[in-house]
Amino acid sequence: GVPITLHLIFFQAVASPPSSNFLLLGPSGAGKTAFTTLLEAKSSPASKKSQSTHTSQQSTLVTVSLPPDVPTASNRYRSVNDPSLKEAARNPIKYRVRDTPGHGKLRVSQGLSELQAMAQSKDIKTRLRGVVFMVDTAALVDEATLRDTATYLHDVLLVLQKRAKNGSSSKRTTEIPVLVAANKQDLFTALPPGSVKEKLEAEIDRIRKSKNKGLLDASADSTLDDDEEILGNDDLESFSFKLLEHEVGVKVEVVGGAVKGDQQEEYGSGVRRWEEWIGMCL
Ligand code: GDP
């Protein structure tokens, strides 16, 4: 019986690969709950009506499927006539999204500790494939919102940087990429993704410069925590996502979309380009 059992285990491993986990972060009101609800509805259209509404007090983990025509890293060269497309429609690729609960400060601290736990996990079942950081692009014109959002993103990137730097060079950890989902592009007051990127980079630059200055001032006394780290490099070069990728290996992409526009196909591509980003992580 042993060989047969082994064979079955092997077959199962091939037939259903371990779930790929994505963590959904971002400030309150960005559209995270709306996004997970939409992904769930798209994954099981028949049960659309019975979708549970997510409460904001619990962390939710939903299993959703990738639309069959969205390419993944392993099948991106597939042609539209490929019979495997039909197979994909019958047996779609699944992935898991964890939405983070809470309000305000709580949301941020819970999101960050969730990220820390998932990013450090060596268990293949909980291994993190990517982080989707959602922002409300219509709200970013407000200075305080921009600062809050950039601070949150800065802290997320610092967790990933520490993880990247702690990985031994012999057994390199795969870096966890970040998608900044520039949501609400359907609103006419929304900033385009390019300017969202510029604003976030400039604000993160300000944050790290003031942190660096704080560290220099603090180094006069001996209470300095040597765990403190500066995002990107310590040079005077201004911060950019490119710099972070170059220096640390953590990739950040800013991609526009709209949860609201997805069903109508009116507003750009809805969530399609985010699903394509997810597909490339699978
Ligand atoms: P969360 O706090 O990040 O989970 O945000 P929610 O999912 O609760 O969304 C906050 C508000 O933004 C809700 O009223 C949503 O209907 C709205 N919203 C989400 N996505 C979009 C979008 O793409 N366009 C517009 N106009 N509103 C959106």
Side-chain angles (χ1 to χ4, degrees):
V2 173
I4 292 171
T5 316
L6 278 179
H7 183 82
L8 277 177
I9 289 170
F10 178 71
F11 176 77
Q12 283 210 323
V14 171
S16 58
S19 295
S20 308
N21 294 290
F22 291 85
L23 184 59
L24 186 52
L25 300 172
S28 196
K32 298 183 295 299
T33 311
F35 183 47
T36 26
T37 308
L38 173 70
L39 289 179
E40 272 188 298
K42 280 167 54 131
S43 301
S44 53
S47 61
K48 219 178 205 167
K49 288 252 155 57
S50 66
Q51 282 310 313
S52 55
T53 42
H54 299 166
T55 66
S56 49
Q57 298 308 314
Q58 280 168 1
S59 176
T60 51
L61 180 64
V62 298
T63 301
V64 296
S65 41
L66 199 68
D69 57 341
V70 170
T72 63
S74 50
N75 72 9
R76 79 189 110 156
Y77 302 115
R78 186 175 64 180
S79 90
V80 282
N81 303 317
D82 195 317
S84 70
L85 259 180
K86 277 209 187 92
E87 171 54 26
R90 234 175 309 143
N91 192 12
I93 293 165
K94 295 211 157 51
Y95 62 97
R96 302 199 293 185
V97 179
R98 183 177 286 282
D99 187 6
T100 45
H103 288 290
K105 289 244 153 56
L106 182 67
R107 193 157 205 141
V108 174
S109 64
Q110 280 185 342
L112 283 174
S113 50
E114 197 96 55
L115 172 65
Q116 240 141 10
M118 286 177 91
Q120 274 155 19
S121 170
K122 299 236 166 18
D123 184 353
I124 196 141
K125 283 207 237 36
T126 48
R127 211 187 95 206
L128 192 58
R129 287 297 179 100
V131 171
V132 177
F133 187 91
M134 188 159 273
V135 299
D136 176 345
T137 56
L140 282 189
V141 284
D142 176 58
E143 282 297 318
T145 307
L146 174 63
R147 199 170 317 122
D148 278 353
T149 306
T151 304
Y152 192 0
L153 182 57
H154 168 274
D155 294 352
V156 167
L157 296 177
L158 199 56
V159 170
L160 296 178
Q161 168 171 311
K162 283 180 181 164
R163 178 185 177 276
K165 286 190 171 172
N166 287 341
S168 63
S169 51
S170 57
K171 201 174 135 280
R172 257 188 93 67
T173 47
T174 33
E175 308 319 347
I176 297 168
V178 177
L179 169 70
V180 175
N183 192 26
K184 308 200 188 181
Q185 287 293 305
D186 57 302
L187 299 175
F188 79 100
T189 48
L191 290 172
S195 94
V196 168
K197 176 170 172 284
E198 276 169 27
K199 276 188 181 289
L200 287 174
E201 287 178 335
E203 195 60 36
I204 288 177
D205 193 47
R206 233 164 275 147
I207 293 163
R208 75 202 264 274
K209 285 213 171 90
S210 75
K211 187 178 168 189
N212 200 10
K213 188 175 176 302
L215 289 181
L216 288 177
D217 292 349
S219 67
D221 64 59
S222 56
T223 55
L224 183 65
D225 182 358
D226 47 57
D227 194 40
E228 289 296 340
E229 229 179 75
I230 297 298
L231 189 64
N233 60 9
D234 296 351
D235 295 350
L236 291 172
E237 203 180 333
S238 52
F239 178 82
S240 67
F241 296 136
K242 260 268 142 321
L243 172 95
L244 188 69
E245 181 178 347
H246 190 253
E247 299 282 324
V248 189
V250 174
K251 267 193 194 175
V252 182
E253 251 186 276
V254 182
V255 178
V259 175
K260 277 273 168 76
D262 193 67
Q263 248 64 350
Q264 295 118 27
E265 308 214 339
E266 255 167 64
Y267 307 110
S269 43
V271 303
R272 171 77 186 196
R273 293 179 59 210
W274 303 337
E275 290 180 316
E276 287 171 353
W277 182 89
I278 288 168
M280 282 304 129
C281 297
L282 296 174

